[in-house]
Amino acid sequence: MIPAEVPNLIEGRAVPPKGGEWFEKRRPDSGELLCTAARSREADVSAAIAAAARARRGWAAHTPVGRGEIVRELALALRARREEAAEIVAAETGKSMELALGETDAAVEMGFFVAGEGRRLYGRTTTSAMPNRTVMATRRPIGVAGLIVSFNTPLPNYAWKAFPAVFCGNAAVLKPSEHTPASAAFFGELCNELLPPGVLNVVHGLGPEAGTPLVESGEVDLVSFTGSAETGRWIAESGGRRLAKVVLELGGKNALVVCDDADLDRAVEWSLASAFSNAGQRCAAASRIVVFDPVYDDFRERFAAGARSYETGPVISEASLQRILAALDGANVVVGGERLDRPGWWLAPTVVEDAPADAELSSTELFGPVAILYRVRDLEEAIALVNDSPYGLTSAIHTASLHRAMRFVDEVEAGVVVVNGGTHGSEPHMGFGGVKQSGTGWREAGIEALDVYTEWKYVNLIADPAKT
Ligand code: NAD
């Protein structure tokens, strides 16, 4: 199912890297070699960009309805092969089949949602100060889109960008994470069975080698990136120098607040799922659990017990595991904090407490199964602590009080707020993104994604020239 060598996919054809270099992709659950993938360099990326540039005008000439119908066919094709897709994802990320299937279905749903836009793609009409003039705003494709994504939920990550990008009439070059070449190859091939050649190209490789030329190319009109704030900052600088459209969806240090009037069983359950599902490798993961003093000890005991028995997957790489272990050095660990004694990159679900709010551990995203507990006196202190973060992606509060919930909703600095639930990601029809260093103001998914992948064009129509 997974080929030994994963080549690039350019203009609908499998293309080996020009330099003949391949990098190793290992299974996170065992450390065994899964496949090798094209270690692309600038020449490979340029070939993919050129293919997209050749394809873009012909593709943009299709009607939105026609492009929507093709995206619907893509979603149906993915649904028909959901088991196969999920098996690839499970092998290359180490997550369970249950999670991988759920993610595949989420990618399919994104396809259906985007496809429906073919029958909408609404513009606007407006007034003019001048008589005899009709003014309308229409959405137009941008051109060539460079799509760079993270490894954590690979299929939704591709679907969230590639489906709206091509639906809106752009041609794209997808640079998947070096940790997930096999799922990207599967997704790319599936799409290329239905899309004209060159509309969606896939180049594999390491970030600085294959991602950099995509960001720097003057032929790439839009760079849409999902990944760490560190990489995003560089992409914004580089794309900004050539005034490209740059859309960034970045990290989080998300907080879940447990008030003293919360349903504690539910709060513990949601906190465990928010902190540890997908081994904490979710941009929406709750890594800070902020608990009111009167229920702190009770919550701590139950949460620690839950963490001890929580079954989660490995983290994505040895480097990631070592980075997290180094960050935990000197921390007051309640549970976990150590590597599991088995092959692969397994970290025990970890609970930490007594970390000062201004400590590096409190503000750095670890992207692993680590949650820090904080004790607070009241809602005021909780909100101040939650907002004392460079990030602002998701947040949650558990309380029986509508008043407390609404105050939190009003005052929390985050792109997503959940009352009495987990620090969720999103659904296909909901715009998703964060504030502060979690993003640059764009929202992906939802109809908001149309703002990412189209430009507005204002059209002035004067029906009777004699009257101007
Ligand atoms: P990362 O920044 O290391 O890599 C992301 C992608 O960028 C990869 O494809 C990588 O190869 C590429 N890349 C790396 N250096 C590059 C460079 N110099 N130029 C161009 N491309 C480069 O992030 P990661 O470890 O893959 O993912 C984890 C991060 O992603 C976390 O911060 C997480 O919160 C974030 N994330 C955010 C969202 C969101 O929607 N906000 C969703 C998922 C993940």
Side-chain angles (χ1 to χ4, degrees), residues 64 67 116-123 139 167-168 450 454:
R67 294 195 301 260
E117 276 307 310
R119 298 266 173 200
R120 288 183 292 268
L121 202 64
Y122 296 137
R139 290 187 181 275
F167 162 69
C168 288
L450 302 176
T454 61

Side-chain angles (χ1 to χ4, degrees), residues 148-153 157 160 175-179 205-212 215 225-232 234-235 249-252 282-284 365 367 391 393 432-434 438 444:
I148 304 177
V149 294
S150 163
F151 64 84
N152 62 332
T153 52
N157 290 2
W160 272 31
K175 204 316 258 163
S177 165
E178 51 274 38
H179 300 299
L206 311 183
E209 296 171 1
T212 304
V215 174
F225 171 79
T226 297
S228 64
E230 191 187 354
T231 309
W234 177 80
I235 290 178
E249 298 298 340
L250 308 174
R282 295 189 310 124
C283 55
E365 184 189 39
F367 221 53
Y391 294 106
L393 192 52
F432 181 75
S438 293
E444 285 206 297

Side-chain angles (χ1 to χ4, degrees), residues 360-417:
E360 203 172 323
L361 192 60
S362 294
S363 57
T364 308
E365 184 189 39
L366 297 183
F367 221 53
V370 179
I372 309 173
L373 294 177
Y374 299 87
R375 188 194 292 264
V376 290
R377 274 187 316 274
D378 54 20
L379 190 61
E380 179 119 355
E381 195 183 341
I383 292 173
L385 182 65
V386 172
N387 288 342
D388 184 14
S389 168
Y391 294 106
L393 192 52
T394 67
S395 58
I397 185 167
H398 284 251
T399 177
S401 156
L402 182 62
H403 170 78
R404 280 174 166 173
M406 290 313 291
R407 181 166 168 212
F408 185 77
V409 165
D410 278 349
E411 295 183 21
V412 72
E413 295 164 0
V416 181
V417 194

Side-chain angles (χ1 to χ4, degrees), residues 300-324:
R300 176 189 185 276
E301 197 177 310
R302 296 197 218 179
F303 185 63
R308 243 178 238 114
S309 60
Y310 199 94
E311 282 186 28
T312 193
V315 295
I316 198 68
S317 65
E318 177 70 30
S320 191
L321 180 58
Q322 291 304 334
R323 179 181 48 76
I324 298 167

